[in-house]
Amino acid sequence: MRETVIILVSALVLSLIVKTFLVQAFFIPSASMHDTLIENDRILVSKLSPGPFDLHRGDIVVFKDPGGWLPAPVETERGPIGTAVRDTLTYVGLYPDDAGEHLVKRLIGLPGDHVTCAGAGKKLTVNGAPLDEPYLAPGAQPCETAFDTVVPPESMWVMGDNRQHSADSRFHQGEPGGGSVPLKNVVGKAFVIVWPADHWQLLRNPGATFADVPDPS
């Protein structure tokens, strides 16, 4: 019995350390990242970015709601025991966090980047370089309405792959930060889909898309 308790406690402590410093699980609740991520996909997020490994344009990032991006969560009644079990498993990283406080988008612009789109049918540009975006959902346009923004210091500009179904940076330009998200809100970078099994895949950065983007002037 003592050995079993030691093993269980050790596993929980290790899981908590991994969740806190290395990797955390999340699930996808909406269609905003189709077809890269679809509803109920489970993803693992590296918490080493930003940090030892910097973020790059094209990364899929999970970040905490900077305020007003998400509707108030609807609480599901699970009973005291069910709630306690789920909260404990979530805390130690054995159950994926929900989207009650977090969003998943693609990082398009880094601090100082000039991100523009001339409107429907036009390509997105970053620092004057037009982007070919192979990750967009079938039939999705790079943008529906024109915008022109410069990403503030210590911030990022994010957009969903399913552009016409993603309430991303474009829709928050009238708020503090002009639609950009503070880098301090970033939880980490998604690197793999782990569930369901038939959708398992590594989430690679589309480096070629941003290869010709110059540094901000």
Side-chain angles (χ1 to χ4, degrees):
M1 178 65 71
R2 183 173 60 184
E3 291 178 352
T4 300
V5 171
I6 291 174
I7 291 173
L8 290 175
V9 171
S10 299
L12 289 174
V13 170
L14 179 59
S15 179
L16 180 58
I17 292 173
V18 169
K19 177 200 170 184
T20 302
F21 298 106
L22 298 176
V23 175
Q24 190 169 353
F26 291 86
F27 77 83
I28 305 302
S30 74
S32 69
M33 285 294 292
H34 276 206
D35 284 346
T36 308
L37 302 173
I38 60 177
E39 293 90 333
N40 297 318
D41 276 355
R42 264 59 173 179
I43 60 174
L44 293 183
V45 172
S46 168
K47 304 185 81 170
L48 298 175
S49 296
F53 302 107
D54 292 332
L55 294 173
H56 300 87
R57 302 180 191 97
D59 288 341
I60 297 174
V61 292
V62 173
F63 57 95
K64 188 172 182 179
D65 184 355
W69 285 43
L70 289 171
V74 178
E75 294 294 333
T76 302
E77 182 59 43
R78 301 186 185 90
I81 296 178
T83 298
V85 170
R86 177 162 178 171
D87 288 349
T88 299
L89 293 176
T90 300
Y91 181 74
V92 299
L94 298 178
Y95 194 91
D97 279 0
D98 64 20
E101 296 182 355
H102 299 89
L103 299 100
V104 182
K105 304 292 180 188
R106 191 175 297 274
L107 196 164
I108 301 296
L110 292 168
D113 280 347
H114 183 199
V115 185
T116 70
C117 188
K122 302 297 183 179
K123 290 185 177 183
L124 202 65
T125 72
V126 179
N127 299 333
L131 304 182
D132 290 318
E133 301 182 274
Y135 43 76
L136 291 182
Q141 299 184 53
C143 67
E144 293 176 286
T145 57
F147 68 89
D148 188 320
T149 188
V150 175
V151 184
E154 300 299 319
S155 301
M156 62 180 182
W157 183 267
V158 295
M159 300 175 74
D161 290 357
N162 195 9
R163 295 283 159 80
Q164 281 65 62
H165 299 275
S166 176
D168 47 43
S169 288
R170 298 166 294 164
F171 296 89
H172 300 276
Q173 295 181 73
E175 301 171 9
S180 293
V181 177
L183 290 175
K184 66 181 181 181
N185 285 39
V186 176
V187 175
K189 177 171 62 177
F191 66 95
V192 66
I193 301 170
V194 294
W195 191 261
D198 61 357
H199 201 210
W200 184 95
Q201 63 176 305
L202 294 175
L203 298 171
R204 302 184 186 278
N205 181 287
T209 297
F210 298 88
D212 295 329
V213 175
D215 292 334
S217 56

